[in-house]
Amino acid sequence: GAPRAASGAAAAQLRQRLESELEDIRGAGTWKSERVIASRQGPHLRLAGGGAGIINFCANNYLGLSSHPEVIRAAVETLEKFGAGLSSVRFICGTQSIHKDLEEKIARFHQREDAILYASCFDANAGIFEALLTPEDAVLSDELNHASIIDGIRLCKANKYRYKHMDMQDLETKLKEAQKHRLRLVATDGAFSMDGDIAPLREICQLAQKYDALVFIDECHATGFLGPNGRGTDELLGVMDKVTIINSTLGKALGGAAGGYTTGPKPLIDLLRQRSRPYLFSNSLPPAVVGCASKALDLLMESNAIAQSMAAKTQRFRSKMTAAGFTISGKDHPICPVMLGDARLASVMAEDMLNRGIYVIGFSYPVVPKGKARIRVQISAVHSDEDIDRCVEAFTEVGRKHGALP
Ligand code: PLP
């Protein structure tokens, strides 16, 4: 039937307030609309109501595993064998052998003692700080950390210090101030998703050692592909034995379905199972999702070929775009922000790129700082060299047309 509108003065007042708030968002030019995809996730897409053959450069499908035939088959098999879902949280009757196996596999992948699964990495970040830190402790957080880290930190009662983005002098100042607390935890994204830059983990770990602190990294944009074997930022920078806690997602490179986890020392994981609220009070990860992630990890542990292929594609895109005259932020990361400065330019260029069959997204204030608008391109191992070259050609044409290139 037709939707029923709630009646009454309070409902009418709410509707009016919401409509005015939505109007403000539209007026500020920050309205986010969603394009509807009519095909699987992958390097080539069909958009609903539009043509096929769109080349996709805006998913976190870094390794192309979201539609990998073996990943899909594993999901179907796990679905058939273990059912649609558990209808329960883990500690009541929601733990199957596949959940325990996946946790063991994640810990082995990262060379850590144990791991705990969540419905998302957002949940993993929401749970860890409150469970671990008390008012006697301190957390030191990079100012550009992901929203879920910021929210997780808000939920905990520790003393909070925010250091300037990747600024080691500022981190050292804050670590000195935080000496008065019982425990210090430095929290940073391993790779930052808006800039494609990688946290200086060697320096962070040195400072952590000097000031007796623990290091936590969010590896959502690193797990599966950074480092020689795709283990992440800690492998890339040679500090696997110095980072204490890793949170990451199963919803990006590792099959792209959903889910998140924490991996680290066994007593920490044991404590999270007792105390972490998003773990204790939310349904178990569905078997099909567990099947996807488990197969993705098998593929990555068998061979580093996919991760290496993504690195080569990234290098091709970054060097060709730089030669064409564009400024690409970050270094050696498949997140390649094409820096344009002006918000309108980023938006019209992204639209024009789509007209040429290249799906990219423009980002402007408040998602990124004022005057630093950009189009973010994300490279995947399953882009062909031809896909990448077509993207560079389209950027060059569109950049010339709109005055971003001479
Ligand atoms: N942390 C970072 C750095 C992310 O980019 C994201 C996803 O956007 C998350 C956490 C949340 O991950 P999930 O999608 O698994 O909730």
Side-chain angles (χ1 to χ4, degrees):
R4 288 170 199 238
S7 57
Q13 196 187 20
L14 174 69
R15 181 176 287 269
Q16 203 175 31
R17 207 201 78 204
L18 295 178
E19 277 167 1
S20 136
E21 226 170 285
L22 292 171
E23 209 36 62
D24 288 350
I25 298 173
R26 281 196 195 91
T30 55
W31 187 268
K32 291 176 277 304
S33 35
E34 299 173 4
R35 284 209 178 86
V36 179
I37 299 171
S39 59
R40 286 179 178 175
Q41 183 62 282
H44 301 130
L45 295 178
R46 189 159 49 82
L47 296 180
I54 304 289
I55 311 179
N56 178 15
F57 284 95
C58 51
N60 304 305
N61 184 20
Y62 298 113
L63 299 175
L65 298 180
S66 303
S67 298
H68 191 288
E70 286 191 52
V71 172
I72 294 171
R73 196 174 321 121
V76 171
E77 282 169 11
T78 322
L79 175 68
E80 283 188 344
K81 186 160 176 202
F82 290 93
L86 275 301
S87 308
S88 169
V89 298
R90 286 285 299 275
F91 79 94
I92 298 180
C93 67
T95 300
Q96 291 171 318
S97 53
I98 48 171
H99 296 94
K100 298 308 287 180
D101 292 347
L102 179 56
E103 286 171 338
E104 183 276 323
K105 205 175 279 186
I106 288 168
R108 192 151 38 87
F109 180 79
H110 286 285
Q111 297 174 23
R112 297 310 201 270
E113 290 172 19
D114 201 357
I116 176 174
L117 288 171
Y118 286 88
S120 69
C121 185
F122 203 109
D123 279 353
N125 286 341
I128 188 154
F129 300 101
E130 190 196 19
L132 181 62
L133 304 175
T134 73
E136 283 183 80
D137 305 316
V139 56
L140 302 96
S141 172
D142 187 296
E143 65 181 347
L144 293 191
N145 275 343
H146 189 259
S148 53
I149 300 179
I150 294 169
D151 284 8
I153 290 174
R154 275 190 193 141
L155 289 170
C156 83
K157 296 201 171 68
N159 298 278
K160 292 153 195 165
Y161 297 83
R162 198 165 65 143
Y163 63 91
K164 292 197 189 104
H165 181 48
M166 302 207 310
D167 182 331
M168 293 301 97
Q169 250 180 352
D170 196 34
L171 175 58
E172 182 157 19
T173 306
K174 304 275 155 63
L175 276 165
K176 281 182 188 159
E177 280 175 42
Q179 287 305 294
K180 54 185 179 271
H181 306 299
R182 178 183 68 173
L183 181 153
R184 286 151 294 287
L185 179 70
V186 180
T188 180
D189 281 12
F192 291 84
S193 63
M194 281 300 138
D195 292 290
D197 50 1
I198 294 170
L201 278 191
R202 268 189 223 119
E203 293 76 3
I204 289 176
C205 290
Q206 272 163 11
L207 284 176
Q209 205 156 7
K210 184 167 169 192
Y211 294 99
D212 195 20
L214 300 167
V215 177
F216 160 97
I217 55 176
D218 174 325
E219 287 282 88
C220 284
H221 295 278
T223 299
F225 57 91
L226 285 191
N229 300 297
R231 295 312 191 258
T233 318
D234 58 339
E235 188 197 30
L236 179 75
L237 297 175
V239 290
M240 284 183 91
D241 56 343
K242 301 211 164 54
V243 170
T244 309
I245 308 165
I246 294 175
N247 275 9
S248 193
T249 185
L250 304 171
K252 300 192 196 294
L254 298 184
Y261 57 85
T262 298
T263 184
K266 184 162 187 330
L268 168 70
I269 304 302
D270 287 345
L271 183 77
L272 291 172
R273 288 192 206 283
Q274 302 304 314
R275 291 256 176 85
S276 175
R277 293 168 68 82
Y279 179 82
L280 288 168
F281 300 112
S282 185
N283 202 14
S284 301
L285 215 51
V289 169
V290 173
C292 289
S294 185
K295 178 52 74 176
L297 285 167
D298 287 345
L299 293 172
L300 296 180
M301 288 199 271
E302 273 163 25
S303 155
N304 65 1
I306 315 176
Q308 299 280 344
S309 140
M310 197 230 45
K313 305 275 163 59
T314 298
Q315 171 61 20
R316 184 180 185 95
F317 180 78
R318 282 181 172 270
S319 60
K320 289 200 166 200
M321 284 292 282
T322 307
F326 286 104
T327 302
I328 311 296
S329 167
K331 191 171 163 284
D332 299 335
H333 197 283
I335 292 173
C336 305
V338 181
M339 303 306 287
L340 297 167
D342 181 64
R344 226 187 74 80
L345 179 65
S347 148
V348 293
M349 274 183 65
E351 206 53 50
D352 226 359
M353 290 291 286
L354 189 60
N355 294 336
R356 286 166 168 75
I358 308 285
Y359 187 8
V360 287
I361 297 282
F363 288 93
S364 52
Y365 181 81
V367 181
V368 294
K370 272 196 178 129
K372 295 216 167 156
R374 65 203 63 185
I375 291 177
R376 187 175 72 171
V377 172
Q378 289 172 285
I379 303 296
S380 168
V382 286
H383 283 128
S384 64
D385 285 350
E386 204 186 331
D387 291 337
I388 289 180
D389 295 352
R390 274 191 55 195
C391 182
V392 175
E393 276 160 30
F395 260 113
T396 310
E397 273 174 40
V398 168
R400 285 204 187 111
K401 178 174 159 194
H402 294 284
L405 285 183

